[in-house]
């Protein structure tokens, strides 16, 4: 895997897995940092949340996660967001497996979002979400489901990050 660009102000380590996606080098964009979780069940299905946003994001499926609070580490944000979006507080992150930069709409502006993705597992197949309907409504999450890697390979739906099935296979040593 590639390394984060050591000149990236959002990552002072200069190391770790990375992918730069989209027109990330556009000058003048506000930076945002986000932690996300690739959560797998025992059958290696991945939990994705659907957003039906207006352009530029549009309708898309994404892993649970969101922006860092001031002073918060990526892993802490990913874990917090997973709990907020699923209602589960018993999921441990297994480690960071991917980094990328996405140019996207957030609020009323376009941002350059630096994302770190962490792998995690639940021991319950196709686990049902907790009482998170109000949170989903406020965050614009309109649906959720567990996807097989084969479904990800063949879907016409937009999934963030692109190539998620291959990323999971690589993380599991099947790539």
């Amino acid at each position: 895997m590639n390394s984060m660009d050591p000149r990236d102000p959002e990552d002072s380590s200069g190391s770790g897995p990375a992918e730069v996606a989209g027109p990330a080098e556009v000058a003048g964009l506000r930076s945002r940092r986000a932690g996300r979780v690739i959560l797998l069940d025992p059958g290696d299905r991945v939990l994705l949340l659907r957003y039906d946003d207006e352009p530029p994001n549009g309708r898309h499926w994404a892993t649970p996660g969101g922006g860092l609070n001031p002073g918060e580490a990526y892993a802490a944000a990913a874990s917090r967001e997973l709990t907020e979006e699923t209602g589960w507080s018993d999921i441990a992150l297994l480690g960071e497996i991917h980094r990328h930069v996405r140019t996207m709409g957030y609020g009323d502006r376009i941002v350059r979002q630096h994302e770190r993705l962490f792998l995690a597992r639940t021991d319950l197949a196709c686990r049902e979400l907790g009482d998170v309907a109000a949170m989903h409504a406020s965050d614009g999450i309109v649906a959720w489901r567990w996807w097989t890697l084969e479904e990800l390979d063949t879907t016409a739906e937009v999934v963030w990050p692109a190539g998620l099935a291959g990323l999971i296979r690589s993380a599991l040593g099947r790539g």
Side-chain angles (χ1 to χ4, degrees), residues 124-137:
L124 299 173
C126 297
R127 187 174 180 178
E128 292 291 322
L129 297 186
D131 184 15
V132 292
M135 184 273 155
H136 281 198

Side-chain angles (χ1 to χ4, degrees), residues 13-168:
S13 71
S15 65
E19 168 193 321
V20 176
E25 297 303 321
V26 178
L29 292 182
R30 183 176 140 236
S31 287
R32 181 174 191 260
R33 297 179 301 151
R36 307 200 75 81
V37 180
I38 297 173
L39 180 65
L40 303 177
D41 79 352
D44 292 337
R45 288 174 287 260
V46 61
L47 177 67
L48 296 179
L49 309 173
R50 193 181 92 206
Y51 298 82
D52 291 350
D53 294 345
E54 295 295 322
N57 297 348
R59 177 179 165 153
H60 63 279
W61 291 87
T63 58
L68 278 62
N69 290 328
E72 189 175 36
Y74 281 91
S79 188
R80 174 184 51 76
E81 289 281 343
L82 180 64
T83 298
E84 290 174 4
E85 294 176 355
T86 64
W88 311 324
S89 58
D90 62 337
I91 305 293
L93 301 182
L94 302 175
E96 182 181 327
I97 63 167
H98 187 68
R99 294 180 185 184
H100 68 204
V101 178
R102 165 184 323 288
T103 301
M104 60 178 274
Y106 180 74
D108 62 350
R109 58 181 14 171
I110 303 296
V111 299
R112 184 174 177 212
Q113 182 160 287
H114 300 257
E115 296 183 346
R116 295 189 186 185
L117 285 84
F118 297 84
L119 186 64
R121 284 204 174 266
T122 178
D123 58 357
L124 299 173
C126 297
R127 187 174 180 178
E128 292 291 322
L129 297 186
D131 184 15
V132 292
M135 184 273 155
H136 281 198
S138 70
D139 264 17
I141 298 168
V142 298
W144 64 275
R145 70 172 271 213
W146 292 93
W147 293 70
T148 66
L149 300 184
E150 294 74 22
E151 288 170 331
L152 288 175
D153 286 335
T154 60
T155 188
E157 297 276 349
V158 175
V159 175
W160 292 0
L164 180 58
L167 180 61
I168 293 169

